[in-house]
Coordinates of all heavy atoms in Angstrom, one line a residue:
I1 N 0.4 -10.4 -4.3 CA 1.9 -10.4 -4.3 C 2.4 -11.4 -3.3 O 3.3 -12.2 -3.5 CB 2.5 -9.0 -4.2 CG1 2.2 -8.2 -5.5 CG2 4.0 -9.1 -4.0 CD1 2.6 -6.8 -5.4
A2 N 1.9 -11.2 -2.0 CA 2.4 -12.0 -0.9 C 2.1 -13.5 -1.2 O 3.0 -14.3 -1.0 CB 1.7 -11.6 0.4
A3 N 0.9 -13.9 -1.5 CA 0.6 -15.3 -1.7 C 1.3 -15.9 -2.9 O 1.9 -17.0 -2.8 CB -0.9 -15.4 -2.0
A4 N 1.4 -15.2 -4.0 CA 2.1 -15.7 -5.2 C 3.6 -15.9 -5.0 O 4.2 -16.7 -5.5 CB 1.9 -14.8 -6.4
S5 N 4.2 -15.0 -4.1 CA 5.6 -15.1 -3.8 C 6.0 -15.8 -2.6 O 7.2 -16.0 -2.3 CB 6.2 -13.6 -3.7 OG 5.9 -12.9 -4.8
G6 N 5.0 -16.3 -1.7 CA 5.3 -17.0 -0.5 C 6.1 -16.2 0.5 O 6.9 -16.7 1.2
V7 N 5.7 -14.9 0.6 CA 6.3 -14.0 1.6 C 5.2 -13.3 2.4 O 4.0 -13.4 2.1 CB 7.2 -13.0 0.8 CG1 8.3 -13.7 0.1 CG2 6.4 -12.1 -0.1
C8 N 5.7 -12.5 3.3 CA 4.8 -11.6 4.1 C 5.0 -10.1 3.6 O 6.2 -9.7 3.5 CB 5.1 -11.7 5.6 SG 4.1 -10.6 6.6
L9 N 4.0 -9.4 3.4 CA 4.1 -8.0 3.2 C 3.7 -7.3 4.5 O 2.6 -7.4 5.0 CB 3.1 -7.6 2.1 CG 3.3 -8.2 0.7 CD1 2.3 -7.6 -0.3 CD2 4.7 -7.9 0.2
L10 N 4.7 -6.5 5.0 CA 4.5 -5.7 6.2 C 4.2 -4.3 5.7 O 5.1 -3.6 5.2 CB 5.8 -5.8 7.0 CG 5.7 -5.0 8.3 CD1 4.7 -5.6 9.3 CD2 7.1 -5.0 9.0
L11 N 2.9 -3.9 5.9 CA 2.5 -2.6 5.4 C 2.2 -1.7 6.5 O 1.6 -2.1 7.5 CB 1.2 -2.8 4.6 CG 1.3 -3.8 3.4 CD1 0.0 -4.0 2.7 CD2 2.4 -3.3 2.4
E12 N 2.6 -0.5 6.4 CA 2.5 0.5 7.5 C 1.3 1.5 7.1 O 1.4 2.2 6.1 CB 3.8 1.3 7.6 CG 5.0 0.4 7.9 CD 6.3 1.1 7.9 OE1 6.4 2.3 8.5 OE2 7.3 0.6 7.3
T13 N 0.4 1.5 8.0 CA -0.9 2.2 7.8 C -0.6 3.7 7.5 O -1.2 4.4 6.7 CB -1.9 2.1 8.9 OG1 -1.3 2.6 10.2 CG2 -2.3 0.6 9.0
E14 N 0.4 4.3 8.3 CA 0.6 5.7 8.2 C 1.3 6.1 6.9 O 1.4 7.3 6.6 CB 1.4 6.2 9.4 CG 0.6 6.0 10.7 CD 1.4 6.5 11.9 OE1 2.5 7.0 11.8 OE2 0.8 6.5 13.0
K15 N 1.8 5.2 6.1 CA 2.5 5.5 4.9 C 1.5 5.4 3.6 O 1.9 5.8 2.5 CB 3.7 4.6 4.7 CG 4.8 4.9 5.7 CD 6.0 4.1 5.4 CE 7.2 4.5 6.3 NZ 8.4 3.7 6.0
V16 N 0.3 4.9 3.8 CA -0.6 4.8 2.7 C -1.0 6.1 2.3 O -1.5 6.9 3.1 CB -1.8 3.9 3.1 CG1 -2.9 3.9 2.0 CG2 -1.3 2.5 3.4
P17 N -0.9 6.5 1.0 CA -1.4 7.8 0.5 C -2.9 7.9 0.6 O -3.6 7.0 0.3 CB -0.9 7.8 -1.0 CG 0.0 6.6 -1.2 CD -0.3 5.7 -0.1
L18 N -3.4 9.0 1.1 CA -4.8 9.3 1.2 C -5.1 10.4 0.2 O -4.4 11.3 0.0 CB -5.2 9.7 2.6 CG -5.0 8.8 3.7 CD1 -5.4 9.5 5.0 CD2 -5.8 7.5 3.5
H19 N -6.3 10.2 -0.4 CA -6.9 11.2 -1.3 C -7.1 12.5 -0.4 O -7.4 12.4 0.7 CB -8.2 10.7 -1.9 CG -8.7 11.7 -3.0 ND1 -9.5 12.7 -2.6 CD2 -8.6 11.6 -4.3 CE1 -9.8 13.4 -3.7 NE2 -9.3 12.7 -4.8
R20 N -7.0 13.6 -1.1 CA -7.2 14.9 -0.3 C -8.6 14.9 0.4 O -8.7 15.5 1.5 CB -7.2 16.1 -1.3 CG -5.8 16.4 -1.8 CD -5.9 17.7 -2.7 NE -6.8 17.6 -3.8 CZ -6.6 16.9 -5.0 NH1 -5.4 16.4 -5.2 NH2 -7.5 16.9 -5.9
A21 N -9.6 14.3 -0.2 CA -10.9 14.3 0.5 C -10.9 13.4 1.8 O -11.7 13.6 2.6 CB -12.0 13.7 -0.5
L22 N -9.9 12.5 2.0 CA -9.9 11.7 3.2 C -9.0 12.3 4.2 O -9.0 11.9 5.4 CB -9.4 10.3 2.8 CG -10.3 9.5 1.9 CD1 -9.6 8.2 1.6 CD2 -11.6 9.3 2.5
E23 N -8.1 13.2 3.8 CA -7.2 13.8 4.8 C -7.9 14.5 5.9 O -8.8 15.3 5.6 CB -6.1 14.7 4.1 CG -5.2 13.9 3.2 CD -4.3 14.8 2.5 OE1 -4.3 16.0 2.6 OE2 -3.4 14.2 1.7
G24 N -7.5 14.3 7.1 CA -8.2 15.1 8.2 C -9.5 14.5 8.7 O -10.1 15.2 9.5
W25 N -9.9 13.4 8.2 CA -11.1 12.8 8.7 C -11.0 12.5 10.2 O -10.0 12.2 10.7 CB -11.4 11.4 8.0 CG -12.2 11.5 6.7 CD1 -12.2 12.6 5.9 CD2 -13.1 10.5 6.2 NE1 -13.1 12.3 4.8 CE2 -13.6 11.1 5.1 CE3 -13.5 9.3 6.7 CZ2 -14.5 10.4 4.3 CZ3 -14.4 8.6 5.9 CH2 -14.9 9.1 4.7
S26 N -12.2 12.7 10.9 CA -12.2 12.5 12.3 C -12.0 11.0 12.6 O -11.7 10.7 13.8 CB -13.5 13.0 12.9 OG -14.6 12.3 12.4
D27 N -12.3 10.1 11.7 CA -12.1 8.7 12.0 C -11.0 8.1 11.0 O -11.3 7.7 9.9 CB -13.4 7.9 11.7 CG -13.3 6.5 12.0 OD1 -12.2 5.9 12.3 OD2 -14.4 5.8 12.0
P28 N -9.7 8.2 11.5 CA -8.6 7.7 10.6 C -8.7 6.3 10.1 O -8.3 6.0 9.0 CB -7.4 7.9 11.5 CG -7.8 8.8 12.6 CD -9.3 8.7 12.7
A29 N -9.3 5.4 10.9 CA -9.5 4.0 10.5 C -10.4 3.9 9.3 O -10.2 3.1 8.4 CB -10.0 3.2 11.7
A30 N -11.5 4.7 9.3 CA -12.4 4.7 8.2 C -11.8 5.2 7.0 O -12.0 4.7 5.9 CB -13.7 5.5 8.6
A31 N -11.0 6.3 7.1 CA -10.3 6.9 5.9 C -9.3 5.9 5.4 O -9.3 5.7 4.1 CB -9.5 8.2 6.4
L32 N -8.6 5.2 6.2 CA -7.6 4.1 5.7 C -8.4 3.0 5.0 O -8.0 2.5 3.9 CB -6.8 3.6 6.9 CG -5.9 2.5 6.5 CD1 -4.8 3.0 5.5 CD2 -5.2 1.8 7.7
A33 N -9.5 2.6 5.6 CA -10.3 1.5 5.0 C -10.8 1.9 3.6 O -10.8 1.1 2.6 CB -11.5 1.1 5.9
L34 N -11.3 3.2 3.4 CA -11.7 3.6 2.1 C -10.5 3.7 1.2 O -10.6 3.4 0.0 CB -12.3 5.0 2.2 CG -13.8 5.0 2.7 CD1 -14.2 6.4 2.9 CD2 -14.7 4.3 1.7
A35 N -9.3 4.1 1.7 CA -8.1 4.3 0.8 C -7.7 2.9 0.2 O -7.3 2.8 -0.9 CB -7.0 4.9 1.6
V36 N -7.7 1.9 1.1 CA -7.2 0.6 0.6 C -8.3 -0.3 0.1 O -7.9 -1.3 -0.6 CB -6.4 -0.2 1.7 CG1 -5.3 0.7 2.2 CG2 -7.3 -0.5 2.9
G37 N -9.5 0.0 0.3 CA -10.6 -0.9 -0.1 C -11.8 -0.3 -0.8 O -12.8 -1.0 -1.1
G38 N -11.8 1.0 -1.0 CA -12.9 1.7 -1.5 C -13.2 1.4 -3.0 O -14.3 1.4 -3.4
G39 N -12.2 1.2 -3.7 CA -12.4 0.8 -5.2 C -12.5 1.9 -6.1 O -12.6 1.6 -7.3
E40 N -12.6 3.1 -5.7 CA -12.8 4.2 -6.7 C -11.5 4.9 -7.1 O -11.4 5.5 -8.2 CB -13.9 5.2 -6.2 CG -15.2 4.5 -6.0 CD -15.8 3.9 -7.3 OE1 -15.6 4.5 -8.4 OE2 -16.4 2.8 -7.2
D41 N -10.6 5.0 -6.2 CA -9.3 5.6 -6.5 C -8.3 4.5 -6.6 O -8.4 3.5 -5.9 CB -8.8 6.5 -5.4 CG -9.3 7.9 -5.6 OD1 -9.8 8.2 -6.6 OD2 -9.2 8.7 -4.6
Y42 N -7.4 4.6 -7.5 CA -6.4 3.5 -7.8 C -5.0 3.9 -7.6 O -4.6 5.0 -8.0 CB -6.6 2.9 -9.2 CG -8.0 2.3 -9.4 CD1 -9.0 3.1 -9.9 CD2 -8.3 1.1 -9.0 CE1 -10.3 2.6 -10.1 CE2 -9.5 0.5 -9.1 CZ -10.5 1.3 -9.7 OH -11.8 0.8 -9.8
E43 N -4.3 3.1 -6.9 CA -2.8 3.2 -6.8 C -2.3 1.8 -7.2 O -3.0 0.8 -7.0 CB -2.4 3.4 -5.3 CG -2.8 4.8 -4.8 CD -1.8 5.9 -5.1 OE1 -0.7 5.6 -5.5 OE2 -2.2 7.1 -5.0
L44 N -1.2 1.7 -7.9 CA -0.6 0.5 -8.3 C 0.4 0.0 -7.2 O 1.1 0.9 -6.7 CB 0.1 0.6 -9.6 CG -0.8 0.9 -10.8 CD1 0.0 1.0 -12.0 CD2 -1.9 -0.1 -11.0
L45 N 0.4 -1.2 -6.9 CA 1.3 -1.8 -5.9 C 2.3 -2.6 -6.6 O 2.0 -3.4 -7.5 CB 0.5 -2.7 -4.9 CG 1.4 -3.4 -3.9 CD1 1.9 -2.4 -2.9 CD2 0.6 -4.4 -3.1
L46 N 3.6 -2.4 -6.3 CA 4.7 -3.1 -6.9 C 5.7 -3.4 -5.8 O 5.8 -2.7 -4.8 CB 5.3 -2.4 -8.1 CG 6.0 -1.1 -7.8 CD1 7.5 -1.2 -7.9 CD2 5.5 0.0 -8.9
A47 N 6.5 -4.4 -6.1 CA 7.6 -4.7 -5.2 C 8.9 -4.7 -6.0 O 9.0 -5.2 -7.1 CB 7.4 -6.1 -4.5
V48 N 10.0 -4.0 -5.4 CA 11.3 -4.0 -6.1 C 12.3 -4.5 -5.0 O 12.1 -4.3 -3.8 CB 11.6 -2.6 -6.6 CG1 10.6 -2.2 -7.7 CG2 11.7 -1.6 -5.5
A49 N 13.4 -5.0 -5.5 CA 14.5 -5.4 -4.6 C 15.0 -4.2 -3.9 O 15.0 -3.1 -4.5 CB 15.6 -6.0 -5.4
P50 N 15.4 -4.3 -2.6 CA 15.8 -3.1 -1.8 C 16.9 -2.3 -2.5 O 16.9 -1.1 -2.5 CB 16.4 -3.8 -0.6 CG 15.7 -5.1 -0.4 CD 15.4 -5.5 -1.9
G51 N 17.8 -3.0 -3.2 CA 18.9 -2.2 -3.9 C 18.4 -1.5 -5.2 O 19.2 -0.7 -5.7
S52 N 17.2 -1.8 -5.6 CA 16.7 -1.2 -6.9 C 15.7 -0.1 -6.6 O 15.2 0.5 -7.6 CB 16.0 -2.3 -7.7 OG 17.0 -3.3 -8.0
A53 N 15.3 0.1 -5.4 CA 14.2 1.1 -5.1 C 14.6 2.5 -5.7 O 13.8 3.2 -6.3 CB 13.9 1.2 -3.6
A54 N 15.8 3.0 -5.5 CA 16.2 4.3 -5.9 C 16.2 4.4 -7.4 O 15.7 5.4 -8.0 CB 17.6 4.7 -5.4
D55 N 16.6 3.3 -8.1 CA 16.6 3.3 -9.6 C 15.1 3.3 -10.1 O 14.8 4.0 -11.0 CB 17.3 2.1 -10.1 CG 18.8 2.2 -10.0 OD1 19.3 3.3 -9.8 OD2 19.4 1.1 -9.9
A56 N 14.3 2.5 -9.5 CA 12.9 2.5 -9.9 C 12.2 3.8 -9.6 O 11.5 4.3 -10.5 CB 12.1 1.4 -9.1
R57 N 12.5 4.4 -8.5 CA 11.9 5.8 -8.2 C 12.3 6.8 -9.3 O 11.5 7.6 -9.8 CB 12.3 6.2 -6.8 CG 11.7 7.5 -6.3 CD 11.9 7.8 -4.9 NE 11.0 7.0 -4.1 CZ 11.4 6.0 -3.2 NH1 12.7 5.7 -3.1 NH2 10.6 5.3 -2.6
R58 N 13.6 6.8 -9.6 CA 14.2 7.7 -10.5 C 13.6 7.5 -11.9 O 13.1 8.4 -12.6 CB 15.7 7.6 -10.6 CG 16.4 8.7 -11.4 CD 17.9 8.7 -11.2 NE 18.5 7.4 -11.0 CZ 19.0 6.9 -9.8 NH1 18.8 7.6 -8.7 NH2 19.5 5.7 -9.7
L59 N 13.6 6.2 -12.4 CA 13.0 5.9 -13.7 C 11.5 6.3 -13.8 O 11.2 7.0 -14.8 CB 13.2 4.4 -14.0 CG 12.5 3.9 -15.3 CD1 13.3 4.4 -16.5 CD2 12.4 2.4 -15.3
L60 N 10.7 6.0 -12.9 CA 9.3 6.3 -13.0 C 9.1 7.8 -12.9 O 8.2 8.3 -13.6 CB 8.5 5.5 -11.9 CG 8.4 4.1 -12.2 CD1 7.8 3.3 -11.0 CD2 7.5 3.8 -13.4
S61 N 9.8 8.5 -12.1 CA 9.7 9.9 -11.9 C 10.1 10.6 -13.2 O 9.4 11.5 -13.7 CB 10.5 10.4 -10.8 OG 10.4 11.8 -10.7
N62 N 11.3 10.3 -13.7 CA 11.8 10.9 -14.9 C 11.1 10.6 -16.2 O 10.8 11.4 -17.0 CB 13.3 10.7 -15.1 CG 14.1 11.3 -14.0 OD1 13.7 12.2 -13.3 ND2 15.3 10.7 -13.8
E63 N 10.8 9.3 -16.4 CA 10.2 8.8 -17.6 C 8.7 8.9 -17.7 O 8.1 9.0 -18.8 CB 10.6 7.4 -17.9 CG 12.1 7.2 -18.0 CD 12.7 7.9 -19.3 OE1 12.0 8.0 -20.3 OE2 13.8 8.4 -19.2
M64 N 8.0 8.8 -16.6 CA 6.6 8.7 -16.6 C 5.9 9.7 -15.6 O 4.6 9.7 -15.5 CB 6.1 7.3 -16.2 CG 6.7 6.2 -17.0 SD 6.1 4.6 -16.4 CE 6.3 3.6 -17.8
S65 N 6.6 10.5 -15.0 CA 6.1 11.5 -14.0 C 5.2 10.9 -13.0 O 4.2 11.4 -12.6 CB 5.3 12.6 -14.8 OG 6.1 13.3 -15.7
V66 N 5.7 9.7 -12.5 CA 5.0 9.0 -11.4 C 5.9 8.9 -10.2 O 7.0 8.6 -10.3 CB 4.7 7.5 -11.9 CG1 4.1 6.7 -10.8 CG2 3.8 7.5 -13.1
D67 N 5.3 9.3 -9.1 CA 6.0 9.2 -7.8 C 5.7 8.0 -7.1 O 4.6 7.5 -7.1 CB 5.6 10.4 -6.9 CG 6.0 11.8 -7.4 OD1 7.1 11.8 -8.1 OD2 5.3 12.7 -7.2
L68 N 6.7 7.3 -6.5 CA 6.6 6.1 -5.7 C 6.5 6.4 -4.3 O 7.2 7.3 -3.8 CB 7.7 5.1 -6.0 CG 7.9 4.5 -7.3 CD1 9.1 3.5 -7.3 CD2 6.6 3.7 -7.7
T69 N 5.6 5.7 -3.6 CA 5.5 5.9 -2.1 C 5.8 4.5 -1.5 O 5.1 3.6 -1.8 CB 4.1 6.3 -1.7 OG1 3.8 7.6 -2.4 CG2 4.0 6.5 -0.2
Q70 N 6.8 4.4 -0.7 CA 7.1 3.1 0.0 C 6.1 3.0 1.2 O 6.1 3.8 2.1 CB 8.5 3.1 0.5 CG 8.8 1.7 1.1 CD 10.3 1.6 1.5 OE1 11.1 2.4 1.1 NE2 10.6 0.6 2.3
V71 N 5.3 1.9 1.1 CA 4.3 1.8 2.2 C 4.6 0.6 3.1 O 3.9 0.3 4.0 CB 2.9 1.6 1.6 CG1 2.4 2.9 0.9 CG2 2.8 0.4 0.7
G72 N 5.7 -0.1 2.7 CA 6.1 -1.3 3.6 C 7.3 -2.0 3.0 O 8.0 -1.4 2.2
R73 N 7.4 -3.3 3.4 CA 8.5 -4.1 3.0 C 8.1 -5.6 3.0 O 7.1 -5.9 3.6 CB 9.7 -3.8 3.9 CG 9.6 -4.3 5.3 CD 10.8 -3.9 6.1 NE 10.8 -4.5 7.4 CZ 10.2 -3.9 8.5 NH1 9.5 -2.8 8.4 NH2 10.2 -4.6 9.6
V74 N 8.9 -6.3 2.3 CA 8.7 -7.8 2.2 C 9.5 -8.4 3.3 O 10.7 -8.1 3.6 CB 9.2 -8.3 0.8 CG1 9.1 -9.8 0.8 CG2 8.4 -7.7 -0.3
T75 N 8.9 -9.3 4.1 CA 9.6 -10.0 5.2 C 9.3 -11.5 5.1 O 8.6 -12.0 4.2 CB 9.1 -9.6 6.6 OG1 7.7 -9.9 6.7 CG2 9.2 -8.0 6.7
E76 N 10.0 -12.3 5.9 CA 9.8 -13.7 6.0 C 8.4 -14.0 6.5 O 7.9 -13.2 7.3 CB 10.8 -14.4 6.8 CG 12.2 -14.4 6.2 CD 13.2 -15.2 7.0 OE1 12.8 -16.1 7.9 OE2 14.4 -15.0 6.8
G77 N 7.8 -15.0 6.1 CA 6.4 -15.4 6.6 C 5.5 -15.5 5.4 O 5.9 -15.6 4.3
R78 N 4.2 -15.4 5.7 CA 3.2 -15.4 4.7 C 2.1 -14.5 5.0 O 1.8 -14.2 6.1 CB 2.6 -16.8 4.6 CG 3.6 -17.8 4.1 CD 3.0 -19.1 3.6 NE 3.9 -20.0 3.1 CZ 4.2 -20.1 1.8 NH1 3.7 -19.3 0.9 NH2 5.2 -21.0 1.4
G79 N 1.5 -14.0 3.9 CA 0.3 -13.1 4.0 C 0.6 -11.6 4.1 O 1.7 -11.2 3.7
V80 N -0.3 -10.9 4.5 CA -0.2 -9.4 4.7 C -0.4 -9.0 6.1 O -1.4 -9.5 6.8 CB -1.2 -8.7 3.8 CG1 -1.1 -7.2 4.0 CG2 -1.1 -9.1 2.3
R81 N 0.5 -8.2 6.6 CA 0.4 -7.8 8.0 C 0.5 -6.3 8.0 O 1.4 -5.6 7.4 CB 1.6 -8.3 8.8 CG 1.6 -7.9 10.3 CD 2.7 -8.5 11.0 NE 2.9 -7.8 12.2 CZ 4.1 -7.5 12.8 NH1 5.2 -8.0 12.2 NH2 4.2 -6.9 13.9
W82 N -0.6 -5.7 8.6 CA -0.7 -4.2 8.7 C -0.2 -3.8 10.0 O -0.6 -4.4 11.1 CB -2.1 -3.7 8.5 CG -2.6 -3.8 7.1 CD1 -3.3 -4.9 6.5 CD2 -2.5 -2.8 6.1 NE1 -3.6 -4.6 5.2 CE2 -3.1 -3.3 4.9 CE3 -2.0 -1.5 6.1 CZ2 -3.2 -2.5 3.8 CZ3 -2.1 -0.8 4.9 CH2 -2.7 -1.3 3.8
V83 N 0.6 -2.7 10.1 CA 1.1 -2.2 11.4 C 0.8 -0.7 11.5 O 0.9 0.0 10.5 CB 2.6 -2.5 11.7 CG1 2.8 -4.0 11.9 CG2 3.5 -1.9 10.7
G84 N 0.4 -0.3 12.7 CA 0.2 1.1 12.9 C 1.5 1.8 13.3 O 2.6 1.3 13.3
G85 N 1.4 3.1 13.6 CA 2.5 3.9 13.9 C 3.4 3.4 15.0 O 4.6 3.7 15.0
E86 N 2.9 2.7 16.0 CA 3.6 2.2 17.1 C 4.2 0.8 16.8 O 4.8 0.2 17.7 CB 2.7 2.1 18.4 CG 1.9 3.4 18.7 CD 0.6 3.5 17.9 OE1 0.0 2.5 17.6 OE2 0.3 4.6 17.5
G87 N 3.9 0.3 15.7 CA 4.4 -1.0 15.3 C 3.4 -2.1 15.7 O 3.7 -3.3 15.5
S88 N 2.3 -1.8 16.2 CA 1.3 -2.8 16.7 C 0.4 -3.2 15.4 O 0.2 -2.4 14.5 CB 0.4 -2.2 17.8 OG -0.3 -1.1 17.3
D89 N 0.0 -4.4 15.5 CA -0.8 -5.0 14.4 C -2.2 -4.2 14.3 O -2.7 -3.9 15.4 CB -1.1 -6.5 14.6 CG 0.1 -7.3 14.3 OD1 1.1 -6.8 13.7 OD2 0.1 -8.5 14.5
V90 N -2.6 -4.0 13.1 CA -3.9 -3.3 12.9 C -4.7 -4.1 11.9 O -4.2 -4.6 10.9 CB -3.6 -1.9 12.3 CG1 -5.0 -1.2 12.0 CG2 -2.8 -1.0 13.2
D91 N -6.0 -4.2 12.2 CA -6.9 -5.0 11.3 C -7.4 -3.9 10.3 O -8.1 -3.0 10.6 CB -8.1 -5.6 12.0 CG -9.0 -6.4 11.2 OD1 -8.5 -7.0 10.2 OD2 -10.2 -6.4 11.5
V92 N -7.0 -4.1 9.0 CA -7.5 -3.2 7.9 C -8.3 -4.0 6.9 O -7.8 -5.0 6.3 CB -6.2 -2.6 7.2 CG1 -6.7 -1.7 6.1 CG2 -5.4 -1.8 8.2
P93 N -9.5 -3.6 6.7 CA -10.4 -4.3 5.7 C -9.7 -4.0 4.3 O -9.3 -2.9 4.0 CB -11.7 -3.5 5.7 CG -11.6 -2.5 6.8 CD -10.2 -2.5 7.3
T94 N -9.7 -5.1 3.5 CA -8.9 -5.0 2.2 C -9.9 -4.8 1.0 O -9.4 -4.7 -0.1 CB -8.0 -6.2 2.0 OG1 -8.8 -7.4 2.1 CG2 -6.9 -6.2 3.0
G95 N -11.2 -4.9 1.2 CA -12.1 -4.6 0.1 C -12.3 -5.9 -0.8 O -12.0 -7.0 -0.4
F96 N -12.8 -5.7 -2.0 CA -13.2 -6.8 -2.9 C -11.9 -7.5 -3.4 O -11.0 -6.9 -3.8 CB -14.0 -6.2 -4.0 CG -14.5 -7.2 -5.0 CD1 -15.6 -8.0 -4.6 CD2 -13.9 -7.4 -6.2 CE1 -16.1 -9.0 -5.5 CE2 -14.4 -8.4 -7.1 CZ -15.5 -9.2 -6.7
D97 N -12.0 -8.8 -3.5 CA -10.9 -9.6 -4.1 C -11.3 -10.0 -5.5 O -12.1 -10.8 -5.7 CB -10.8 -10.9 -3.2 CG -9.7 -11.8 -3.8 OD1 -9.1 -11.5 -4.8 OD2 -9.4 -12.8 -3.1
H98 N -10.7 -9.3 -6.5 CA -11.1 -9.4 -7.9 C -10.7 -10.8 -8.4 O -11.2 -11.3 -9.4 CB -10.4 -8.4 -8.7 CG -10.9 -7.0 -8.4 ND1 -12.0 -6.5 -9.0 CD2 -10.4 -6.0 -7.6 CE1 -12.2 -5.3 -8.5 NE2 -11.2 -5.0 -7.7
F99 N -9.8 -11.5 -7.7 CA -9.3 -12.8 -8.2 C -9.8 -13.9 -7.3 O -9.5 -15.1 -7.5 CB -7.8 -12.8 -8.2 CG -7.2 -11.7 -9.1 CD1 -6.6 -10.6 -8.6 CD2 -7.3 -11.8 -10.5 CE1 -6.1 -9.6 -9.4 CE2 -6.8 -10.8 -11.3 CZ -6.2 -9.7 -10.7
G100 N -10.7 -13.6 -6.4 CA -11.2 -14.6 -5.5 C -12.4 -15.4 -6.0 O -12.8 -16.4 -5.4
G101 N -12.9 -15.1 -7.1 CA -14.0 -15.8 -7.7 C -15.4 -15.5 -7.2 O -16.3 -16.1 -7.6
G102 N -15.4 -14.5 -6.3 CA -16.7 -14.2 -5.7 C -17.5 -13.3 -6.6 O -17.0 -12.7 -7.5
A103 N -18.8 -13.0 -6.2 CA -19.6 -12.1 -7.0 C -19.4 -10.7 -6.5 O -19.0 -10.4 -5.5 CB -21.0 -12.5 -6.9

């Protein structure tokens, strides 16, 4: 999304939903790495205009029984930037790139 749109995605590590099996792990960084790059559980990522978030949340909840979790925001710049609870940059492995052409 970031590359195709020419923006920066500012993602907050503490807002990423974790599977019940990962909650309470003694190594939170490993749990986060599995959540965002493990490849076995799937969450869909979408971006909506700030003024449309409430409408999107209501529509998906009422029509499809899907809950939205806001994990970040779009900012100026390029790429993806992960931040921890204190607002400091965090290096998060992102897993396999399905569109990168690799094996």
Side-chain angles (χ1 to χ4, degrees):
I1 290 176
S5 301
V7 296
C8 177
L9 298 181
L10 181 65
L11 303 175
E12 300 174 47
T13 60
E14 294 183 358
K15 291 186 177 181
V16 172
L18 295 178
H19 187 277
R20 288 183 305 277
L22 296 176
E23 292 176 358
W25 268 32
S26 60
D27 185 351
L32 178 65
L34 280 173
V36 300
E40 296 302 323
D41 272 346
Y42 297 94
E43 294 274 344
L44 297 178
L45 179 66
L46 63 104
V48 297
S52 301
D55 290 336
R57 184 172 280 115
R58 188 172 35 258
L59 174 69
L60 288 170
S61 178
N62 293 339
E63 299 294 324
M64 301 177 159
S65 300
V66 172
D67 293 326
L68 290 182
T69 303
Q70 182 175 346
V71 296
R73 64 184 189 276
V74 177
T75 64
E76 289 185 22
R78 293 198 176 268
V80 176
R81 181 177 162 217
W82 287 90
V83 294
E86 312 80 38
S88 58
D89 286 351
V90 177
D91 183 32
V92 176
T94 55
F96 183 77
D97 179 357
H98 294 278
F99 303 106

